[in-house]
């Protein structure tokens, strides 16, 4: 795992967008694992801008989102399908048929989850998985005690997640679904590369647990320590509680792989 600290939230999001763009240019038929949430909005903004200004090409790219709420159809403005259309898919030249989210309205949710895993396998697996970290340390909707080898399945959301996301629902806590379909921790760990973005002071304590604490299913983001190629990009506010801050800063300033991403 590498932790990379950027001065501002914007710089952290831009770095993540540039890392994705680099992979997409190297492999136009990239299989991209996507996340939703507030943290990702800026990343998608930068990717849309790169498409507009630099002709970043998504025409062959295939995407698989981490999760979707149970019971919300694609046309519901709170669904993650709606979020993805709004923040990314409608702003770049992606073929909508190549974009995938678990279907939270499927009659047989277990069969839908098995089918989702099969589709990922048929595409050759996820090349780059984008992640945020939730207030309770989840990745995807892998809430505390999710098995570290879990696969795509239905999960009940914790009160912390409901509190975190309720402000995004017009009806608040009451309107928020209590269940979601989510890739498992094992599904996420199968991706070739993982890119996590964590920003803001309110994530500082959980970030420290995830990257410097013990690996535990109580904080599923801590499972990323097991991944052989995981980069965690953070802003200064989120980095506040990391004991290894000065080492992480040194890595970004000195390691050759980061040279092209350092401000000139
Ligand atoms: C969303 C997802 C979640 C979020 C996490 C952080 O698809 O999988 O794990 O990444 O809850 O959400 P924000 O960015 O809103 O703090």
């Amino acid at each position: 795992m590498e932790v990379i600290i950027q001065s501002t939230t914007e710089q952290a999001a831009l770095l993540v967008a540039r890392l994705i763009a680099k992979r997409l240019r190297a492999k136009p038929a990239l299989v991209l694992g996507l996340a939703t949430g507030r943290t990702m909005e800026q990343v998608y903004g930068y990717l849309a801008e790169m498409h507009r200004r630099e002709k970043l090409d998504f025409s062959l790219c295939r995407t698989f989102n981490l999760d979707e709420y149970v019971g919300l159809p694609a046309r519901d403005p709170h669904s993650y399908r709606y979020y993805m259309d709004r923040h990314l898919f409608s702003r770049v030249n992606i073929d909508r048929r190549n974009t995938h989210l678990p279907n939270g309205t499927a009659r047989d949710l277990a069969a839908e989850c098995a089918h989702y895993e099969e589709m990922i396998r048929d595409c050759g697996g996820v090349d780059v998985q984008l992640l945020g970290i939730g207030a309770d340390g989840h990745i995807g909707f892998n809430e505390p005690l999710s098995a570290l080898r879990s696969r795509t399945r239905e999960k009940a959301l914790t009160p912390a997640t409901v509190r975190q996301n309720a402000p995004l629902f017009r009806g608040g806590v009451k309107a928020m679904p209590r269940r979601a379909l989510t890739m498992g921790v094992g599904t996420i760990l199968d991706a070739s590369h993982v890119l996590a973005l964590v920003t803001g002071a309110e994530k500082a304590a959980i970030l420290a647990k995830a990257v410097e604490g013990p690996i535990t299913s109580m904080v599923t983001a801590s499972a990323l320590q097991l991944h052989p190629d995981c980069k965690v990009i953070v802003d200064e506010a989120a980095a506040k509680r990391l004991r290894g801050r000065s080492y992480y800063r040194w890595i970004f300033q000195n390691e050759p792989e980061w040279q092209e991403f350092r401000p000139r």
Side-chain angles (χ1 to χ4, degrees), residues 1 12 15 32 69 155 160 182 229:
M1 175 182 278
L15 178 58
L32 196 49
Y69 290 113
K155 271 309 274 185
T182 179
D229 186 348

Side-chain angles (χ1 to χ4, degrees), residues 34-40 65-67 80 131-135 138-141 161 164-165 168 203:
L34 296 174
T36 60
R38 284 153 281 206
T39 316
M40 295 305 147
N65 266 77
L66 285 165
D67 39 24
Y80 283 167
L131 294 177
I133 296 183
H138 69 209
I139 45 177
F141 275 131
T161 298
Q164 177 195 290
N165 288 358
L168 303 173
K203 297 276 174 76

Side-chain angles (χ1 to χ4, degrees), residues 31-35 63-68 100-102 113 116-117 120 125-126 128-131 139-143 146-147 149-155 180-191 220:
V31 180
L32 196 49
L34 296 174
T63 67
F64 288 91
N65 266 77
L66 285 165
D67 39 24
E68 179 60 281
H100 309 277
L101 286 93
C113 292
Y116 202 66
E117 288 275 336
I120 296 173
V126 171
V128 182
Q129 178 65 56
L130 185 58
L131 294 177
I139 45 177
F141 275 131
N142 291 290
E143 302 291 40
S146 289
R149 296 178 65 181
S150 51
R151 312 302 304 186
T152 304
R153 71 218 182 286
E154 186 181 357
K155 271 309 274 185
L181 303 186
T182 179
M183 279 188 199
V185 182
T187 319
I188 292 169
L189 292 180
D190 280 352
T220 56

Side-chain angles (χ1 to χ4, degrees), residues 17 22 46 48 50 68 84 107 116 124 128 130-131 140 156 158 169 171-172 181 197 207 240:
K22 187 177 176 184
Y46 284 124
M50 288 174 191
E68 179 60 281
M84 288 312 305
R107 202 172 311 150
Y116 202 66
V128 182
L130 185 58
L131 294 177
T158 59
F169 281 76
L181 303 186
L197 174 62
L207 174 71
K240 277 275 176 310

